Amino acid sequence: MSVAKKDYKRITTRTLIDMKANGEKISMLTSYDFTMAKIVDSAGVDVILVGDSASNVMAGHETTLPITLDQMIYHASSVVRAANRALVVVDLPFGSYQSDPKEALRSSIRIMKESGGHAVKLEGGSEIKDSIKKILNAGIPVMGHLGLTPQSIYKFGTYTVRAKEDAEAEKLMEDAKMLERIGCFAVVLEKIPAQLAQKVAESISIPVIGIGAGGGVDGQVLVIHDMLGMNNEFSPRFLRRYMDLYDGMTKAIGQYVDDVKSKDFPNEKEQY
Ligand code: KIV
């Protein structure tokens, strides 16, 4: 289904808040390199997330923990060079903000200065409130991230749905309200019950972007490699695959190998 999209020249944190107020859903996708970000930006995606999922999909690590601040800055600066319209949000990687607010601010300043990103994202609620306040006080926009927070995978022990129990759901709601109160411009809710996510979205005025959080929130985010079907080993229920690039690319590359071996490539027109 085709939907009318407003013609925004450049998406800002203010645009996103206005979109929520006007009932316009927000589209967000990850990117980690220039070429992909150029396509994502041209296609009209509102927010590009330079996610620490780069640790998985770009570097092949099992978790998001190993990626470093320097590596995130490298990915983010490539994306920023490609984005003419989208807001670029950059994940603070594991170990770059958890120890104290000063470190969190130092890491955020490095991201803003060295990559040119427009905002940072951090995982967690009340535990990192002081760090978020410190970053916000320096004029750096912050997106929160609650629910399944992959940097804490060794504490959770599993990637299953979070906040199914009342106590965890109540804490999540309190954390979301706190993030709004202290000045975050948006919050990601990952892999929580759709009903709870909708309740959170209705309780706060900043946009709630969901991944595996149902359709009752203000926008959606997916990892680009997953939605393009570049990875055929990851099939959570929340994922909609818009292409089967793994199959398409494997066939194309296999054809190239055959053409080289059979001396079909290059032909007379493909040489000087
Ligand atoms: O790193 C990432 O890609 C993310 C999204 C899954 C929200 O944080």
Side-chain angles (χ1 to χ4, degrees), residues 103-172:
E103 191 201 25
L105 177 58
R106 256 195 312 274
S107 302
S108 304
I109 288 176
R110 280 203 60 202
I111 286 182
M112 302 299 284
K113 255 188 188 303
E114 296 177 39
S115 79
H118 309 137
V120 298
K121 175 163 84 60
L122 290 79
E123 295 183 4
S126 53
E127 322 75 38
I128 55 160
K129 180 178 169 191
D130 291 343
S131 294
I132 297 176
K133 278 169 83 172
K134 186 100 184 151
I135 299 167
L136 288 166
N137 283 341
I140 300 173
V142 176
M143 176 180 271
H145 184 155
L146 303 171
L148 177 66
T149 47
Q151 291 179 12
S152 306
I153 186 58
Y154 290 114
K155 181 173 102 183
F156 296 146
T158 130
Y159 286 101
T160 53
V161 181
R162 306 297 313 174
K164 279 162 91 175
E165 308 299 329
D166 288 351
E168 197 181 339
E170 272 165 36
K171 179 176 180 330
L172 188 141

Side-chain angles (χ1 to χ4, degrees), residues 1-4 240:
M1 187 181 59
S2 159
V3 217
R240 184 178 294 179

Side-chain angles (χ1 to χ4, degrees), residues 30 32 49 51-53 91 121 145 188 190 211 221 223:
T30 66
Y32 319 97
L49 172 65
D52 60 357
S53 48
D91 264 342
K121 175 163 84 60
H145 184 155
V188 165
E190 180 164 354
I211 173 163
V221 55
V223 169

Side-chain angles (χ1 to χ4, degrees), residues 53-63 66:
S53 48
S55 180
N56 309 110
V57 296
M58 299 302 286
H61 293 296
E62 206 173 304
T63 72

Side-chain angles (χ1 to χ4, degrees), residues 59-264:
H61 293 296
E62 206 173 304
T63 72
T64 57
L65 276 66
I67 198 159
T68 65
L69 185 57
D70 284 340
Q71 289 165 340
M72 287 303 297
I73 289 169
Y74 167 77
H75 287 298
S77 54
S78 309
V79 168
V80 167
R81 281 192 286 274
N84 293 317
R85 177 185 175 275
L87 182 84
V88 178
V89 179
V90 185
D91 264 342
L92 278 171
F94 178 70
S96 72
Y97 63 96
Q98 286 90 349
S99 64
D100 68 68
K102 277 190 187 158
E103 191 201 25
L105 177 58
R106 256 195 312 274
S107 302
S108 304
I109 288 176
R110 280 203 60 202
I111 286 182
M112 302 299 284
K113 255 188 188 303
E114 296 177 39
S115 79
H118 309 137
V120 298
K121 175 163 84 60
L122 290 79
E123 295 183 4
S126 53
E127 322 75 38
I128 55 160
K129 180 178 169 191
D130 291 343
S131 294
I132 297 176
K133 278 169 83 172
K134 186 100 184 151
I135 299 167
L136 288 166
N137 283 341
I140 300 173
V142 176
M143 176 180 271
H145 184 155
L146 303 171
L148 177 66
T149 47
Q151 291 179 12
S152 306
I153 186 58
Y154 290 114
K155 181 173 102 183
F156 296 146
T158 130
Y159 286 101
T160 53
V161 181
R162 306 297 313 174
K164 279 162 91 175
E165 308 299 329
D166 288 351
E168 197 181 339
E170 272 165 36
K171 179 176 180 330
L172 188 141
M173 177 63 90
E174 284 314 304
D175 280 343
K177 288 182 179 168
M178 177 276 291
L179 292 176
E180 176 191 32
R181 204 167 48 246
I182 65 175
C184 289
F185 71 91
V187 56
V188 165
L189 294 183
E190 180 164 354
K191 229 173 167 185
I192 65 165
Q195 240 186 344
L196 172 63
Q198 179 165 351
K199 223 167 105 189
V200 173
E202 287 167 357
S203 306
I204 60 178
S205 61
I206 56 171
V208 172
I209 316 282
I211 173 163
V217 291
D218 308 304
Q220 300 293 326
V221 55
L222 286 174
V223 169
I224 184 94
H225 291 65
D226 298 338
M227 62 85 74
L228 292 178
M230 294 177 87
N231 169 3
N232 62 3
E233 286 156 18
F234 181 65
S235 298
R237 191 204 295 193
F238 67 76
L239 175 63
R240 184 178 294 179
R241 282 206 177 90
Y242 287 83
M243 289 186 88
D244 187 354
L245 269 191
Y246 187 90
D247 190 53
M249 288 175 77
T250 310
K251 283 195 182 122
I253 294 163
Q255 183 64 54
Y256 165 75
V257 172
D258 288 349
D259 290 353
V260 170
K261 302 274 180 201
S262 68
K263 301 180 188 159
D264 178 79

